[in-house]
Amino acid sequence: MNIRQNCIFSFEDALKIQPKSRLEKIINTLDLKPVLCKLDKPGEIKVRPKPYPAYAMLNALIAMRLENMGTFTQLVERLTYDPHLRYVCGFEPFGTAPSKSCFSRFYSKLAQSGCLETLFTSLVKQAEEMGLLDLSSVAIDATKVEAYEKSVPRKNIIQNGNAADWGIKSDTNGNPIKWFGYKLHIGTDVKSGLPIAMKVTPANCSDSSVALELVEKCCANTQSKIVYFLMDAGYDHREIYSVIRDKYHAQAIIALNKRGAKQPPEGFDWDGTPICSARYRMVYWGSYQGVNKFRCPHIMGKCDCPFGSAWCSDSNYRMVVKTKVKDDPRLFSSPHRGSANWQKQYNLRTYSERCFSRFKENLGLEDGLNVRKITKVETHAYLCAITMIAAVIAINQDSSTRSSAA
């Protein structure tokens, strides 16, 4: 007959001596005080017959995103049958788990308070202080988010800027994609691939209309100087170029959208390259303090001009043309549009696509979306972003601790 001996340690003591799980490390990086202060009744959300701590409810939602759970039902089942998960989140390990309706009410309260944006901003600042963000270049882009609610005809949609709507955009192959729902706009640091600013809009909202708001959020959430803002052709609007240059003293790296565009001024090509009197494109020769320099293509060996090098200028240096970015921020840029340095910066824009991929494949941005209304969808997106940034911070803190111990 086997007799089970009594445990020397309690359940809580046994967990404390175990190696910390990934979720524990992430939760330890979060300072939830600003979040709890913004809730109506900080510290707990009351659900009969027993109150549950608000910080535990929020930790459970983060665990839901980390484990890529699709519904509140899955979360409740995990909490019910996993006492370790209950303990890590902050619930009583031998108590009951919150119900689905409890999480639903807490989620509504969280969405109304808007406190997750504060937590997100604090994590961005923490990542910047740890040197995880470079911030010299920020990519801005948007992705589709299909709505959880049932689609309705466009004529029945109330156009108040908050309801789900129909959107259409082209994929990488130019094929149109149509969906009913929302758009998630993100400013992404190109070094780490981490989001530093976010906004959710109905799907019919154009990318360019949100660009300047995202730029403002990027600059407000960080301390470092952002030099380049990288965007695709959907953001090709003169106001975006001008505001980024004049207000934020940065350079917009945006692909030209020639559809419906006017012809370039006389003497210039589409990308702002001067055309010499013999109708050859002049050679870009560098930029300095917002001034681009171009030289004669014949003297640079790029063409065989029938008029020779002395046709346009008597100088030994031959013909030189300079353009100033301030004269036309859209046509002229520093570095010059199409140059190797410009193209190198523009290629970094793909980091925003990687960020979207992690949101959708690892954090359940679309598959895990089981809430309606734009405020709750934005809360869902912030939970994804908070989980991603907190995970990166936790990994680097753990690596630093190991290095110090070694």
Side-chain angles (χ1 to χ4, degrees):
M1 180 177 179
N2 296 326
I3 300 176
R4 179 175 295 179
Q5 297 180 354
N6 294 329
C7 295
I8 301 176
F9 304 103
S10 65
F11 181 79
E12 291 86 348
D13 293 335
L15 290 179
K16 289 178 182 179
I17 64 176
Q18 293 292 324
K20 289 186 178 180
S21 64
R22 179 177 56 168
L23 178 59
E24 286 180 280
K25 294 176 181 178
I26 291 175
I27 289 176
N28 289 339
T29 65
L30 301 176
D31 180 12
L32 299 183
K33 292 180 181 178
V35 177
L36 300 178
C37 289
K38 282 197 172 185
L39 295 174
D40 295 336
K41 296 179 181 179
E44 65 176 23
I45 178 166
K46 294 185 178 180
V47 181
R48 295 177 181 175
K50 183 179 180 180
Y52 293 99
Y55 70 87
M57 299 288 289
L58 182 54
N59 289 338
L61 293 178
I62 292 174
M64 182 181 179
R65 296 277 52 83
L66 185 65
E67 299 294 335
N68 202 356
M69 302 180 198
T71 62
F72 290 143
T73 302
Q74 295 178 7
L75 176 60
V76 172
E77 290 178 354
R78 279 290 304 275
L79 289 171
T80 302
Y81 298 108
D82 190 346
H84 180 260
L85 180 60
R86 292 201 300 271
Y87 176 79
V88 171
C89 291
F91 300 109
E92 291 292 333
F94 296 108
T96 59
S99 64
K100 177 183 174 181
S101 59
C102 176
F103 277 111
S104 181
R105 287 192 291 269
F106 179 76
Y107 206 98
S108 300
K109 193 174 185 180
L110 205 59
Q112 293 173 3
S113 67
C115 55
L116 288 185
E117 185 176 1
T118 304
L119 179 59
F120 169 76
T121 303
S122 66
L123 286 173
V124 171
K125 295 183 183 299
Q126 184 178 352
E128 182 183 7
E129 292 172 357
M130 293 176 63
L132 302 179
L133 306 179
D134 178 62
L135 296 176
S136 60
S137 301
V138 172
I140 292 179
D141 206 351
T143 188
K144 70 179 184 70
V145 179
E146 295 185 3
Y148 184 67
E149 52 261 52
K150 184 179 179 180
S151 60
V152 296
R154 184 181 293 272
K155 62 180 181 180
N156 296 336
I157 298 175
I158 301 176
Q159 301 293 337
N160 57 3
N162 294 322
D165 209 325
W166 289 97
I168 186 170
K169 66 184 302 184
S170 300
D171 61 11
T172 54
N173 298 319
N175 302 315
I177 300 175
K178 189 177 181 180
W179 78 98
F180 179 77
Y182 308 91
K183 272 185 182 179
L184 173 61
H185 308 261
I186 289 185
T188 308
D189 172 58
V190 300
K191 175 189 175 183
S192 61
L194 294 176
I196 61 174
M198 298 172 53
K199 183 176 177 61
V200 175
T201 63
N204 64 331
C205 182
S206 64
D207 296 352
S208 59
S209 63
V210 188
L212 291 179
E213 184 176 352
L214 271 183
V215 170
E216 182 179 2
K217 285 187 174 183
C218 289
C219 295
N221 294 348
T222 58
Q223 300 294 329
S224 302
K225 166 69 176 176
I226 300 176
V227 182
Y228 300 108
F229 287 96
L230 321 176
M231 311 177 203
D232 60 25
Y235 297 87
D236 185 25
H237 289 263
R238 291 187 178 276
E239 182 184 7
I240 297 177
Y241 292 95
S242 301
V243 173
I244 289 178
R245 172 176 172 78
D246 298 337
K247 184 175 180 179
Y248 301 103
H249 307 289
Q251 175 64 56
I253 304 293
I254 306 176
L256 284 175
N257 185 2
K258 296 182 180 180
R259 184 176 59 183
K262 297 180 180 179
Q263 289 290 329
E266 182 67 25
F268 293 94
D269 208 343
W270 280 100
D271 59 1
T273 301
I275 305 297
C276 71
S277 57
R279 308 307 301 169
Y280 291 108
R281 282 169 55 92
M282 300 190 69
V283 179
Y284 175 61
W285 203 243
S287 62
Y288 179 71
Q289 294 183 349
V291 178
N292 296 329
K293 181 179 179 181
F294 300 85
R295 294 186 62 186
C296 172
H298 179 80
I299 203 68
M300 300 302 299
K302 298 297 182 180
C303 69
D304 186 12
C305 181
F307 302 106
S309 59
W311 169 262
C312 300
S313 175
D314 296 332
S315 170
N316 294 332
Y317 200 69
R318 299 312 177 192
M319 183 178 180
V320 173
V321 174
K322 295 181 179 180
T323 60
K324 297 181 179 180
V325 179
K326 66 178 183 179
D327 294 340
D328 191 340
R330 179 180 179 271
L331 185 63
F332 308 130
S333 67
S334 179
H336 174 58
R337 185 188 300 276
S339 64
N341 289 336
W342 188 95
Q343 192 63 44
K344 180 180 179 181
Q345 287 294 327
Y346 184 74
N347 290 342
L348 296 176
R349 190 185 57 83
T350 56
Y351 277 87
S352 60
E353 300 294 339
R354 300 179 190 179
C355 183
F356 291 140
S357 177
R358 291 165 185 157
F359 268 50
K360 294 183 177 181
E361 295 180 8
N362 305 120
L363 299 169
L365 177 63
E366 282 190 315
D367 296 338
L369 181 62
N370 61 347
V371 291
R372 298 176 175 89
K373 296 184 179 180
I374 193 168
T375 54
K376 293 185 179 181
V377 174
E378 192 166 52
T379 299
H380 177 74
Y382 272 118
L383 283 171
C384 294
I386 288 168
T387 305
M388 178 189 291
I389 300 177
V392 174
I393 292 175
I395 291 172
N396 283 270
Q397 286 180 342
D398 189 46
S399 300
S400 300
T401 303
R402 291 181 180 178
S403 300
S404 301

